[in-house]
Amino acid sequence: MKQLKVILYFIPLIFAVAFVVQAEEIGHEQPAVKLEKTVVTATLTPKVIKEAPGALEVITAKEIRVKGAETVAQVLEDAVGLDLDHVAGRGYIPQIRGLSNKRTLILIDGMRFSTGFRDTTVDLTEFPTEIIERIEIVRGPNSALYGSEAIGGVINIITKNAPKELSESVAIRYGQNTYGEAENYIFKGSIGNTFENLGIIVSGHVNRSGEFDRDLDDNDTDFDDEEKYSGLLKLNYSFADKHRFSAGVFYSDASRKGIRPKYGLEWDRNADSDRTSTFLQYNGIIEETTVMLRGYYSDFELDRSYIDIGDPYDDPELKKKAKKQPDREDFKIKNELYQIESRASRIFVQSHLVTLGLEYREEERSGVENRGEGEVNESINNRAIFLQDDFPIFDCLQVTAGIRLDDHSDFGSEVSPRLSLNYYLLDNLRLKASYGEGFRAPSLYELYVYTENANGDVIPNPNLVPETSRSYEAGFEGEYGPFGAKIMAFRNDIDDMIYKTPTGNYRMQGKRKVLEYERCNINEAYTQGIELEARLALPHHFSLAGNTVFLDSNNEDTDEDLLEVPEVKSHLRLSYDNPDIGLQANIRMNYTGKQVIAPQFEDGTQTDADSYIMWNLYTAKEIKKNFRIFAGIDNIFNKKISHTPDKGTFFYGGISVSL
């Protein structure tokens, strides 16, 4: 097993050594690695990815489709430097470079979301891939453009726009696991067209999944019964050649039902949530200045109930417990976000692309979310101005410098600078480096909301102060013939990091201890590591790609690793794509290294999670021009993960039709 780990760790490095030597010979037979992808998230202006500053990844609609992914969570399973954490029910939240979801900003078309259940920025399973044009991931410091929460990086979900001609598509999919459970039905479709100056696109998605529980001893459903419905409507109207209005709404509704232990008894948990995000936007060019004005609103509502399903009990002890507790508990919360923003970009002195932006944001939280929590009705607001200059010093050196001033209603002003360099050593070899500072204000949840759940009870702290960060990254990227590779080293130093530390108390949930934590600021913490990526076009329509991230994290107050930060993440993908016969297939390996799940308790013990490997398979065949069938297997070898629920080997298949 040790030898296998070493191989997995150094897969991209092996690519680099083995294939660079052969690149000249193979390069005459295969097309060069293409880098035509563009990215807007890194600078707020479109750039070819190799010219954009920082560590970037763009996942296109085609790449999403050949993974068999139906949600953004599934798309991001093998993204570089990114890990997904499981949350209640079936949800998944991201972290970049070992920094939790609160330090990873998630956007839709460049717009923020209201926070979700228990302070998650957003559950990535809420977003179906049907609506997505591409996903841009910018790793590293981005507070100079985006402010709070962008310390670790930014994930921007960019949705489809109206097509120029009538376009229709529909698809259905069915799946179940190896035990004949966790049945999944998916129905989706979209239609769009442009009528002279008016474009419209409408998409809908239905995703129904059955309950599954591999661990029958914990009175807790691993995967709940779930029904999700979502839709997207976008309109755009172009006029006067260089001016456009656009508007849209994204809506998702999720209903989850499962079993949860409470008071040592067995209860039904029903959770109904919905999310709405809507916007109105103007884009235009005025006096050679590119202008954007936008206002948007996002809200998240959750109704959650617990019903004692065991009453009346035959066991005298359980009957005694049940008499002391209510038969039903209900909770309801609403989180809202309003933002108005504007920015303008213009070239000065021939080569300086200057961007100026203004923002105002307000967030509100109301309701009761957890047992033991009082009514919360709080709001905060934030004003910001930022300035960025993107310019060359020499033909081979591009500089991006930015600074942002945030004024928070509760925590005052914070300044976030950033400097990035892109130096062309050769036409096909670049050095990229960045330094940035950032901050994150405590959320309303961390300040005021008490949490009780199976992973640990958490006490809020109204005396928290903002955390600040200093982030560094530097590395090389390049391509030669059919081969491309990147290596990037990074470090994030965080002062006053908002963290949860054990109080020494616990409660019993069945036979298991549930630890109690409290929110606090720790003096210093860091994450650091190295990211390796490589890709190679092979003969006969094959290609090979891989990435590995080595990650080290530390709470310097206690000299312990940060929670839920894997030491290593590695991905390998072998693909076949033959457009002549309409056949696509790939096999993917994801390796997740050891990580700490619970910190040292008073008896000196801590909980570690073992490393594990997941293998997935996907294949698709185009029968006719607009008709394709597809099938796949997730977790081929039925690997059971020790620290998080999984549904075992999962088989699925379906058809899609487009016109």
Side-chain angles (χ1 to χ4, degrees):
M1 190 61 175
K2 221 176 241 186
Q3 292 85 348
L4 176 60
K5 287 184 181 180
V6 171
I7 292 172
L8 294 173
Y9 290 176
F10 289 96
I11 281 172
L13 196 57
I14 292 169
F15 284 176
V17 174
F19 294 123
V20 164
V21 174
Q22 305 175 51
E24 186 172 355
E25 179 183 346
I26 301 176
H28 294 298
E29 302 175 1
Q30 298 298 321
V33 172
K34 295 181 180 179
L35 290 175
E36 290 86 355
K37 292 178 180 178
T38 59
V39 59
V40 297
T41 311
T43 60
L44 298 178
T45 54
K47 274 186 173 290
V48 176
I49 193 169
K50 71 177 182 179
E51 298 175 356
L56 309 167
E57 183 174 5
V58 177
I59 306 172
T60 65
K62 179 181 177 181
E63 291 168 333
I64 291 170
R65 186 173 66 249
V66 298
K67 290 181 180 180
E70 292 292 340
T71 69
V72 170
Q74 293 170 335
V75 174
L76 298 180
E77 285 177 349
D78 50 22
V80 182
L82 193 147
D83 187 44
L84 299 178
D85 296 327
H86 181 266
V87 291
R90 288 176 180 264
Y92 286 92
I93 55 177
Q95 59 168 292
I96 293 179
R97 292 178 169 176
L99 298 177
S100 72
N101 83 101
K102 298 181 185 65
R103 301 166 188 91
T104 299
L105 182 60
I106 302 174
L107 308 172
I108 183 168
D109 294 322
M111 295 173 283
R112 288 173 173 258
F113 293 98
S114 57
T115 56
F117 175 59
R118 285 186 176 154
D119 212 26
T120 54
T121 49
V122 66
D123 172 8
L124 293 176
T125 68
E126 292 179 22
F127 302 97
T129 55
E130 177 70 15
I131 68 172
I132 297 172
E133 178 65 32
R134 67 185 187 277
I135 298 175
E136 298 182 357
I137 305 167
V138 184
R139 306 187 299 277
N142 281 276
S143 290
L145 281 182
Y146 296 100
S148 185
E149 288 89 49
I151 290 175
V154 178
I155 299 170
N156 193 2
I157 303 166
I158 297 176
T159 61
K160 295 176 180 177
N161 288 315
K164 294 181 179 180
E165 298 179 349
L166 178 63
S167 175
E168 303 168 281
S169 67
V170 64
I172 59 174
R173 192 184 95 156
Y174 172 79
Q176 65 176 21
N177 68 9
T178 191
Y179 307 103
E181 300 176 302
E183 283 192 307
N184 176 234
Y185 303 86
I186 292 175
F187 308 90
K188 58 184 179 180
S190 67
I191 182 169
N193 200 359
T194 297
F195 308 91
E196 295 184 353
N197 295 336
L198 177 65
I200 181 171
I201 185 169
V202 181
S203 295
H205 193 274
V206 178
N207 189 337
R208 305 182 65 178
S209 299
E211 173 186 301
F212 178 64
D213 193 358
R214 291 185 79 176
D215 186 353
L216 301 177
D217 297 326
D218 62 357
N219 294 326
D220 194 345
T221 307
D222 290 344
F223 283 81
D224 295 341
D225 273 318
E226 179 183 61
E227 295 183 7
K228 288 192 295 189
Y229 305 89
S230 59
L232 173 74
L233 168 64
K234 286 178 75 174
L235 304 166
N236 61 74
Y237 179 74
S238 301
F239 63 100
D241 190 29
K242 295 181 179 179
H243 303 272
R244 186 179 71 171
F245 281 112
S246 53
V249 59
F250 170 76
Y251 176 79
S252 67
D253 179 274
S255 176
R256 291 166 173 164
K257 298 180 180 179
I259 298 172
R260 298 291 187 277
K262 287 174 76 73
Y263 312 115
L265 307 171
E266 193 171 278
W267 293 55
D268 262 342
R269 175 186 181 270
N270 299 326
D272 295 314
S273 65
D274 61 75
R275 180 182 293 280
T276 304
S277 294
T278 184
F279 76 96
L280 178 64
Q281 180 172 326
Y282 162 78
N283 292 84
I285 300 177
I286 304 172
E287 297 295 331
E288 299 182 348
T289 302
T290 302
V291 176
M292 188 280 287
L293 303 171
R294 178 164 61 192
Y296 60 91
Y297 168 79
S298 175
D299 83 335
F300 175 84
E301 295 187 60
L302 173 69
D303 289 306
R304 193 159 50 107
S305 64
Y306 292 87
I307 302 170
D308 185 356
I309 60 175
D311 193 20
Y313 291 93
D314 295 329
D315 186 291
E317 289 299 318
L318 293 178
K319 187 178 292 187
K320 190 183 298 183
K321 280 185 180 180
K323 284 183 178 179
K324 295 179 181 178
Q325 310 298 343
D327 293 331
R328 180 186 179 103
E329 292 183 344
D330 292 278
F331 307 95
K332 183 174 183 178
I333 61 162
K334 183 171 185 177
N335 299 330
E336 298 178 276
L337 180 147
Y338 308 81
Q339 181 149 324
I340 300 171
E341 59 188 11
S342 64
R343 61 177 178 262
S345 299
R346 181 171 179 168
I347 296 178
F348 291 91
V349 198
Q350 295 184 342
S351 58
H352 287 260
L353 178 55
V354 177
T355 300
L356 174 67
L358 299 169
E359 291 179 9
Y360 174 79
R361 179 172 67 257
E362 186 170 324
E363 296 179 69
E364 298 178 359
R365 184 183 186 91
S366 59
V368 177
E369 186 167 0
N370 301 290
R371 177 163 57 95
E373 175 193 336
E375 176 80 19
V376 174
N377 192 348
E378 301 285 347
S379 66
I380 55 174
N381 64 68
N382 190 85
R383 298 172 176 84
I385 181 171
F386 63 85
L387 181 68
Q388 177 182 266
D389 189 6
D390 190 7
F391 61 97
I393 294 181
F394 310 107
D395 289 342
C396 60
L397 178 60
Q398 186 76 18
V399 176
T400 305
I403 190 166
R404 177 180 171 116
L405 172 64
D406 284 272
D407 182 31
H408 194 282
S409 58
D410 288 5
F411 300 104
S413 299
E414 294 284 349
V415 176
S416 304
R418 185 190 185 200
L419 177 67
S420 297
L421 306 176
N422 194 356
Y423 182 68
Y424 286 77
L425 299 166
L426 301 169
D427 288 343
N428 59 350
L429 179 64
R430 300 167 295 283
L431 166 67
K432 289 188 174 184
S434 293
Y435 169 77
E437 297 179 8
F439 86 103
R440 187 180 77 85
S443 68
L444 292 170
Y445 190 89
E446 291 168 323
L447 293 167
Y448 304 114
V449 179
Y450 169 79
T451 302
E452 181 180 288
N453 63 46
N455 294 324
D457 302 339
V458 184
I459 302 170
N461 183 354
N463 298 314
L464 294 172
V465 300
E467 57 188 34
T468 56
S469 68
R470 299 173 307 283
S471 300
Y472 317 80
E473 63 180 15
F476 298 92
E477 65 178 34
E479 55 282 334
Y480 188 78
F483 177 75
K486 300 179 184 180
I487 179 170
M488 183 72 74
F490 63 88
R491 181 178 172 99
N492 301 297
D493 288 307
I494 304 177
D495 295 333
D496 295 318
M497 186 181 208
I498 300 169
Y499 204 60
K500 60 180 187 181
T501 58
T503 64
N505 300 323
Y506 63 88
R507 62 180 171 86
M508 298 303 298
Q509 184 169 291
K511 298 179 181 179
R512 189 165 68 90
K513 287 182 179 179
V514 177
L515 305 184
E516 181 186 74
Y517 302 85
E518 62 181 347
R519 305 277 184 194
C520 66
N521 291 103
I522 59 178
N523 289 331
E524 293 181 342
Y526 69 78
T527 69
Q528 61 185 10
I530 297 176
E531 297 165 342
L532 303 169
E533 302 175 61
R535 58 202 183 282
L536 180 72
L538 297 169
H540 308 298
H541 307 286
F542 284 94
S543 63
L544 194 61
N547 64 70
T548 294
V549 179
F550 302 89
L551 193 56
D552 175 39
S553 66
N554 188 260
N555 174 348
E556 296 189 3
D557 282 10
T558 61
D559 197 31
E560 298 174 13
D561 291 345
L562 297 179
L563 299 181
E564 299 178 350
V565 178
E567 295 176 350
V568 179
K569 286 277 292 184
S570 191
H571 167 72
L572 181 65
R573 180 177 71 250
L574 176 64
S575 301
Y576 178 80
D577 186 357
N578 188 342
D580 297 332
I581 60 174
L583 180 63
Q584 296 172 328
N586 61 72
I587 185 166
R588 309 184 304 279
M589 181 281 299
N590 286 307
Y591 171 82
T592 301
K594 182 180 175 182
Q595 57 188 297
V596 177
I597 299 303
Q600 283 196 353
F601 206 44
E602 57 186 3
D603 60 2
T605 62
Q606 67 179 30
T607 303
D608 294 339
D610 295 331
S611 60
Y612 61 92
I613 300 175
M614 289 288 187
W615 292 87
N616 303 319
L617 176 69
Y618 177 83
T619 185
K621 179 71 171 71
E622 191 175 88
I623 305 300
K624 293 184 178 180
K625 183 179 180 181
N626 299 316
F627 182 84
R628 42 193 304 275
I629 60 173
F630 59 89
I633 308 173
D634 292 339
N635 191 4
I636 295 173
F637 300 109
N638 200 27
K639 176 67 178 177
K640 181 164 175 43
I641 306 173
S642 62
H643 67 284
T644 189
D646 67 275
K647 56 191 172 186
T649 301
F650 186 79
F651 305 87
Y652 64 88
I655 60 173
S656 67
V657 181
S658 60
L659 300 174

PDB file of all heavy atoms in Angstrom, residues 161-176:
ATOM      1  N   ASN A 161     -26.075  31.297 -21.642  1.00  0.00           N
ATOM      2  CA  ASN A 161     -26.837  32.398 -22.211  1.00  0.00           C
ATOM      3  C   ASN A 161     -27.712  31.886 -23.340  1.00  0.00           C
ATOM      4  O   ASN A 161     -27.565  30.753 -23.802  1.00  0.00           O
ATOM      5  CB  ASN A 161     -25.899  33.491 -22.724  1.00  0.00           C
ATOM      6  CG  ASN A 161     -25.248  34.266 -21.600  1.00  0.00           C
ATOM      7  OD1 ASN A 161     -25.913  34.660 -20.640  1.00  0.00           O
ATOM      8  ND2 ASN A 161     -23.940  34.477 -21.698  1.00  0.00           N
ATOM      9  N   ALA A 162     -28.615  32.724 -23.804  1.00  0.00           N
ATOM     10  CA  ALA A 162     -29.502  32.343 -24.899  1.00  0.00           C
ATOM     11  C   ALA A 162     -28.694  32.032 -26.151  1.00  0.00           C
ATOM     12  O   ALA A 162     -27.788  32.792 -26.518  1.00  0.00           O
ATOM     13  CB  ALA A 162     -30.486  33.474 -25.174  1.00  0.00           C
ATOM     14  N   PRO A 163     -28.978  30.924 -26.835  1.00  0.00           N
ATOM     15  CA  PRO A 163     -28.281  30.615 -28.089  1.00  0.00           C
ATOM     16  C   PRO A 163     -28.759  31.532 -29.213  1.00  0.00           C
ATOM     17  O   PRO A 163     -29.839  32.133 -29.126  1.00  0.00           O
ATOM     18  CB  PRO A 163     -28.680  29.161 -28.348  1.00  0.00           C
ATOM     19  CG  PRO A 163     -30.021  29.024 -27.690  1.00  0.00           C
ATOM     20  CD  PRO A 163     -29.980  29.907 -26.475  1.00  0.00           C
ATOM     21  N   LYS A 164     -27.968  31.640 -30.263  1.00  0.00           N
ATOM     22  CA  LYS A 164     -28.334  32.507 -31.383  1.00  0.00           C
ATOM     23  C   LYS A 164     -29.481  31.937 -32.205  1.00  0.00           C
ATOM     24  O   LYS A 164     -30.227  32.678 -32.847  1.00  0.00           O
ATOM     25  CB  LYS A 164     -27.117  32.752 -32.271  1.00  0.00           C
ATOM     26  CG  LYS A 164     -26.023  33.560 -31.582  1.00  0.00           C
ATOM     27  CD  LYS A 164     -24.842  33.800 -32.509  1.00  0.00           C
ATOM     28  CE  LYS A 164     -23.765  34.625 -31.809  1.00  0.00           C
ATOM     29  NZ  LYS A 164     -22.595  34.870 -32.686  1.00  0.00           N
ATOM     30  N   GLU A 165     -29.601  30.611 -32.199  1.00  0.00           N
ATOM     31  CA  GLU A 165     -30.683  29.945 -32.923  1.00  0.00           C
ATOM     32  C   GLU A 165     -31.437  29.026 -31.967  1.00  0.00           C
ATOM     33  O   GLU A 165     -30.947  28.706 -30.882  1.00  0.00           O
ATOM     34  CB  GLU A 165     -30.125  29.138 -34.095  1.00  0.00           C
ATOM     35  CG  GLU A 165     -29.410  29.995 -35.141  1.00  0.00           C
ATOM     36  CD  GLU A 165     -28.850  29.147 -36.273  1.00  0.00           C
ATOM     37  OE1 GLU A 165     -28.840  27.907 -36.125  1.00  0.00           O
ATOM     38  OE2 GLU A 165     -28.430  29.727 -37.296  1.00  0.00           O
ATOM     39  N   LEU A 166     -32.627  28.593 -32.385  1.00  0.00           N
ATOM     40  CA  LEU A 166     -33.447  27.729 -31.545  1.00  0.00           C
ATOM     41  C   LEU A 166     -32.671  26.472 -31.150  1.00  0.00           C
ATOM     42  O   LEU A 166     -32.114  25.776 -31.988  1.00  0.00           O
ATOM     43  CB  LEU A 166     -34.724  27.330 -32.288  1.00  0.00           C
ATOM     44  CG  LEU A 166     -35.662  26.379 -31.531  1.00  0.00           C
ATOM     45  CD1 LEU A 166     -36.191  27.033 -30.263  1.00  0.00           C
ATOM     46  CD2 LEU A 166     -36.798  25.921 -32.437  1.00  0.00           C
ATOM     47  N   SER A 167     -32.647  26.210 -29.852  1.00  0.00           N
ATOM     48  CA  SER A 167     -31.945  25.043 -29.327  1.00  0.00           C
ATOM     49  C   SER A 167     -32.798  24.395 -28.254  1.00  0.00           C
ATOM     50  O   SER A 167     -33.299  25.075 -27.353  1.00  0.00           O
ATOM     51  CB  SER A 167     -30.592  25.460 -28.742  1.00  0.00           C
ATOM     52  OG  SER A 167     -29.945  24.361 -28.137  1.00  0.00           O
ATOM     53  N   GLU A 168     -32.979  23.081 -28.364  1.00  0.00           N
ATOM     54  CA  GLU A 168     -33.779  22.339 -27.388  1.00  0.00           C
ATOM     55  C   GLU A 168     -33.020  21.081 -26.983  1.00  0.00           C
ATOM     56  O   GLU A 168     -32.333  20.467 -27.799  1.00  0.00           O
ATOM     57  CB  GLU A 168     -35.135  21.942 -27.985  1.00  0.00           C
ATOM     58  CG  GLU A 168     -35.964  23.099 -28.488  1.00  0.00           C
ATOM     59  CD  GLU A 168     -37.134  22.621 -29.319  1.00  0.00           C
ATOM     60  OE1 GLU A 168     -36.901  22.298 -30.510  1.00  0.00           O
ATOM     61  OE2 GLU A 168     -38.259  22.557 -28.798  1.00  0.00           O
ATOM     62  N   SER A 169     -33.155  20.696 -25.736  1.00  0.00           N
ATOM     63  CA  SER A 169     -32.534  19.455 -25.279  1.00  0.00           C
ATOM     64  C   SER A 169     -33.362  18.850 -24.156  1.00  0.00           C
ATOM     65  O   SER A 169     -34.030  19.563 -23.400  1.00  0.00           O
ATOM     66  CB  SER A 169     -31.102  19.704 -24.792  1.00  0.00           C
ATOM     67  OG  SER A 169     -31.099  20.479 -23.617  1.00  0.00           O
ATOM     68  N   VAL A 170     -33.299  17.527 -24.054  1.00  0.00           N
ATOM     69  CA  VAL A 170     -33.968  16.819 -22.968  1.00  0.00           C
ATOM     70  C   VAL A 170     -33.161  15.560 -22.656  1.00  0.00           C
ATOM     71  O   VAL A 170     -32.531  14.980 -23.547  1.00  0.00           O
ATOM     72  CB  VAL A 170     -35.430  16.458 -23.349  1.00  0.00           C
ATOM     73  CG1 VAL A 170     -35.462  15.480 -24.515  1.00  0.00           C
ATOM     74  CG2 VAL A 170     -36.182  15.899 -22.152  1.00  0.00           C
ATOM     75  N   ALA A 171     -33.131  15.174 -21.381  1.00  0.00           N
ATOM     76  CA  ALA A 171     -32.384  13.978 -20.986  1.00  0.00           C
ATOM     77  C   ALA A 171     -33.056  13.328 -19.790  1.00  0.00           C
ATOM     78  O   ALA A 171     -33.696  13.996 -18.964  1.00  0.00           O
ATOM     79  CB  ALA A 171     -30.942  14.333 -20.660  1.00  0.00           C
ATOM     80  N   ILE A 172     -32.906  12.010 -19.699  1.00  0.00           N
ATOM     81  CA  ILE A 172     -33.382  11.269 -18.537  1.00  0.00           C
ATOM     82  C   ILE A 172     -32.272  10.330 -18.086  1.00  0.00           C
ATOM     83  O   ILE A 172     -31.449   9.870 -18.889  1.00  0.00           O
ATOM     84  CB  ILE A 172     -34.672  10.464 -18.830  1.00  0.00           C
ATOM     85  CG1 ILE A 172     -34.434   9.457 -19.965  1.00  0.00           C
ATOM     86  CG2 ILE A 172     -35.818  11.397 -19.160  1.00  0.00           C
ATOM     87  CD1 ILE A 172     -35.610   8.531 -20.202  1.00  0.00           C
ATOM     88  N   ARG A 173     -32.238  10.057 -16.771  1.00  0.00           N
ATOM     89  CA  ARG A 173     -31.213   9.174 -16.221  1.00  0.00           C
ATOM     90  C   ARG A 173     -31.793   8.392 -15.060  1.00  0.00           C
ATOM     91  O   ARG A 173     -32.608   8.918 -14.289  1.00  0.00           O
ATOM     92  CB  ARG A 173     -30.008   9.986 -15.743  1.00  0.00           C
ATOM     93  CG  ARG A 173     -28.795   9.138 -15.418  1.00  0.00           C
ATOM     94  CD  ARG A 173     -27.653   9.971 -14.853  1.00  0.00           C
ATOM     95  NE  ARG A 173     -27.667   9.951 -13.393  1.00  0.00           N
ATOM     96  CZ  ARG A 173     -26.596  10.166 -12.631  1.00  0.00           C
ATOM     97  NH1 ARG A 173     -25.431  10.435 -13.184  1.00  0.00           N
ATOM     98  NH2 ARG A 173     -26.679  10.130 -11.321  1.00  0.00           N
ATOM     99  N   TYR A 174     -31.363   7.135 -14.936  1.00  0.00           N
ATOM    100  CA  TYR A 174     -31.764   6.304 -13.799  1.00  0.00           C
ATOM    101  C   TYR A 174     -30.528   5.635 -13.222  1.00  0.00           C
ATOM    102  O   TYR A 174     -29.620   5.222 -13.957  1.00  0.00           O
ATOM    103  CB  TYR A 174     -32.767   5.231 -14.221  1.00  0.00           C
ATOM    104  CG  TYR A 174     -33.061   4.239 -13.110  1.00  0.00           C
ATOM    105  CD1 TYR A 174     -33.938   4.574 -12.077  1.00  0.00           C
ATOM    106  CD2 TYR A 174     -32.422   3.003 -13.060  1.00  0.00           C
ATOM    107  CE1 TYR A 174     -34.186   3.685 -11.034  1.00  0.00           C
ATOM    108  CE2 TYR A 174     -32.667   2.107 -12.023  1.00  0.00           C
ATOM    109  CZ  TYR A 174     -33.545   2.459 -11.010  1.00  0.00           C
ATOM    110  OH  TYR A 174     -33.780   1.583  -9.978  1.00  0.00           O
ATOM    111  N   GLY A 175     -30.498   5.509 -11.885  1.00  0.00           N
ATOM    112  CA  GLY A 175     -29.386   4.822 -11.255  1.00  0.00           C
ATOM    113  C   GLY A 175     -29.782   4.207  -9.927  1.00  0.00           C
ATOM    114  O   GLY A 175     -30.802   4.578  -9.320  1.00  0.00           O
ATOM    115  N   GLN A 176     -28.970   3.261  -9.455  1.00  0.00           N
ATOM    116  CA  GLN A 176     -29.131   2.684  -8.126  1.00  0.00           C
ATOM    117  C   GLN A 176     -27.807   2.077  -7.691  1.00  0.00           C
ATOM    118  O   GLN A 176     -26.915   1.860  -8.507  1.00  0.00           O
ATOM    119  CB  GLN A 176     -30.235   1.619  -8.105  1.00  0.00           C
ATOM    120  CG  GLN A 176     -29.932   0.386  -8.938  1.00  0.00           C
ATOM    121  CD  GLN A 176     -31.016  -0.676  -8.811  1.00  0.00           C
ATOM    122  OE1 GLN A 176     -32.141  -0.406  -8.446  1.00  0.00           O
ATOM    123  NE2 GLN A 176     -30.664  -1.901  -9.135  1.00  0.00           N
TER     124      GLN A 176
END
